[in-house]
Amino acid sequence: MVPKSQAALKQSYAPVVKKAVPAVVNVYVSRRVSQRVSPFMNDPFFQRFFRDFGMPRERVQNSLGSGVIVGDEGIVVTNNHVIEGSGEAEITVALSDGREFPAEIILKDDRTDLAVLRLDAKGEKFRSVAFADSDSLQVGDIVLAIGDPFGVGQTVTSGIVSALARTQVGISDYQFFIQTDAAINPGNSGGALIDMDGHLVGINTAIFSKSGGSHGIGFAIPSNMVRLVVKAALEGGTVRRPWLGASLQPVTSQLADTLGLKSPRGALVNEINAAGPGAKAGLQVGDVVLSVDGMAVKDPQALQYRLVTKGIGGTATLGVMRDGRAQDVTLKLVPAAEVPPRNEKLLEGRTPLTGAKVANLSPAVAEELDLANEGPGVVVMDVTRGTVAARVACGRAIS
């Protein structure tokens, strides 16, 4: 459509950017690492002999990402992979105006690839960005990505929402992403994806690229998931996830015909825990879950996301197809049960598993370790280095 006025020709994203930019920050992680350097390494002749020997030295290893201030008291959300391995590292957050503040981690959640930081700001108030409802997004909506790609400085790129509910991306345990063609590059991780109201709709997380640069396929964690993780951090706990108590599988085209569905969609219940909330709600093996509180579910990953973002407490209405007939099931949103108690124990004595710390496998432990098997059995939680058990991977369930 041809602009009809001079004002229309001068339309700009500047007011939106001006509103959101002060809340987007750079996150620097500095860690000291040891390396062995031979005193003869400057001599080409001795380099051949002393390549793997020498005195240990320390060097500072830096990594860079982006973050978003979501609380005026200095609460910052970023990607977990931005600050991963930062147990003994220094984290510094740089604001858009150049000021820098040390930050502490108050929550890390690798399953969502999100982390929440608190700035050491001595009571100072910061410009923050408000959360939008990511469920209200539509394909074609205009969005802006703000971050620090390649460390060149704060950068704004524009695009549209290319797709919603991307679940086969392989980035985190909760596969449900906003796809955008706004340019996202290395260093943008943890930065903001904002709407035309200047509100946060997602945290930029990954790109699909064979070269490492932007090909117009970027992914962001929806703000409704981000809001849940931030809430958990501020309440001083961990992210608590509702327990379904059922094993699910995708509905293929062949299964759709058998189940009387017009298209392959939903999550098929193929196993159910008789003591779980799903069974108590009336779910049965063979049911296909098609929606959660009216929001469509296209596969098990989407169902998992919908339940997680509901949080603990209250109920959710599952739209189910059973024997070709649609019906609703009311599910209580409760955490996974720790029955039997985990009773962690370090195995000692003359056994093949000496040095292994094991625990009873319960639904709560299975959820914590992202295991499909909810028990009975035991699971290896940790191993002591140098023992026979060290050859067995942690998190392995033993029936």
Side-chain angles (χ1 to χ4, degrees):
M1 183 176 179
V2 178
K4 296 182 179 180
S5 68
Q6 188 70 16
L9 283 170
K10 292 183 178 180
Q11 285 183 348
S12 169
Y13 299 140
V16 179
V17 172
K18 187 176 181 180
K19 181 179 179 180
V21 154
V24 182
V25 301
N26 292 346
V27 179
Y28 299 93
V29 180
S30 300
R31 56 178 68 84
R32 294 188 178 276
V33 295
S34 296
Q35 60 179 0
R36 301 189 71 86
V37 180
S38 168
F40 300 97
M41 283 303 290
N42 291 330
D43 188 314
F45 175 80
F46 286 106
Q47 283 180 0
R48 293 178 295 170
F49 301 98
F50 294 92
R51 190 178 306 275
D52 297 321
F53 302 94
M55 297 179 296
R57 294 184 181 177
E58 280 193 340
R59 66 183 178 88
V60 177
Q61 186 181 68
N62 296 306
S63 59
L64 170 69
S66 301
V68 186
I69 301 175
V70 293
D72 60 9
E73 68 276 27
I75 301 300
V76 175
V77 64
T78 185
N79 284 133
N80 183 63
H81 72 256
V82 168
I83 53 95
E84 196 170 19
S86 60
E88 298 181 0
E90 295 180 359
I91 300 176
T92 302
V93 170
L95 276 57
S96 60
D97 60 11
R99 290 180 296 161
E100 296 185 353
F101 297 91
E104 63 170 337
I105 301 169
I106 57 175
L107 188 146
K108 294 170 61 176
D109 191 72
D110 59 348
R111 297 186 64 184
T112 57
D113 192 22
L114 290 170
V116 183
L117 314 176
R118 178 182 282 115
L119 302 185
D120 183 5
K122 298 179 177 61
E124 186 163 350
K125 296 297 182 181
F126 297 90
R127 292 277 296 277
S128 61
V129 64
F131 287 108
D133 178 7
S134 51
D135 285 340
S136 67
L137 280 179
Q138 299 182 59
V139 174
D141 283 350
I142 297 173
V143 287
L144 304 178
I146 310 176
D148 186 2
F150 302 108
V152 299
Q154 196 170 77
T155 302
V156 181
T157 57
S158 67
I160 63 169
V161 173
S162 305
L164 295 167
R166 287 296 195 209
T167 58
Q168 303 299 321
V169 181
I171 300 170
S172 71
D173 288 354
Y174 294 100
Q175 300 289 326
F176 199 93
F177 295 92
I178 301 165
Q179 182 181 327
T180 179
D181 66 347
I184 297 174
N185 288 288
N188 269 116
S189 289
L193 189 70
I194 65 170
D195 61 16
M196 290 299 97
D197 292 321
H199 296 159
L200 186 72
V201 296
I203 293 294
N204 301 321
T205 296
I207 58 174
F208 180 84
S209 173
K210 294 181 179 179
S211 66
S214 175
H215 287 183
I217 303 178
F219 300 99
I221 300 170
S223 58
N224 287 356
M225 176 65 85
V226 180
R227 191 202 314 261
L228 176 83
V229 174
V230 171
K231 182 175 183 288
L234 295 178
E235 291 175 349
T238 58
V239 181
R240 302 177 70 209
R241 300 166 171 91
W243 177 38
L244 180 62
S247 178
L248 308 166
Q249 72 179 72
V251 176
T252 63
S253 298
Q254 294 80 3
L255 281 173
D257 291 337
T258 303
L259 296 167
L261 296 172
K262 295 180 180 179
S263 60
R265 59 195 176 94
L268 174 64
V269 178
N270 58 18
E271 190 175 344
I272 196 157
N273 186 325
K280 293 177 180 177
L283 273 183
Q284 300 177 12
V285 172
D287 287 351
V288 181
V289 182
L290 298 174
S291 66
V292 176
D293 287 341
M295 303 297 293
V297 165
K298 73 173 186 177
D299 56 24
Q301 289 81 10
L303 173 58
Q304 188 180 40
Y305 169 85
R306 289 294 175 198
L307 290 180
V308 168
T309 52
K310 295 295 292 183
I312 298 295
T315 61
T317 300
L318 308 184
V320 172
M321 182 69 72
R322 178 183 298 163
D323 298 327
R325 308 175 94 179
Q327 55 185 286
D328 289 337
V329 170
T330 302
L331 178 75
K332 285 188 176 181
L333 300 172
V334 297
E338 192 159 323
V339 179
R342 64 181 66 200
N343 290 337
E344 291 188 14
K345 181 178 181 180
L346 180 64
L347 299 182
E348 300 174 323
R350 294 180 175 274
T351 74
L353 290 178
T354 295
K357 181 186 286 185
V358 299
N360 289 322
L361 181 57
S362 65
V365 173
E367 194 280 331
E368 182 181 310
L369 299 177
D370 193 27
L371 299 175
N373 183 1
E374 293 187 347
V378 295
V379 62
V380 178
M381 302 292 286
D382 196 6
V383 294
T384 303
R385 293 181 62 181
T387 63
V388 177
R391 300 171 189 170
V392 181
C394 291
R396 179 168 295 176
I398 304 172
S399 300

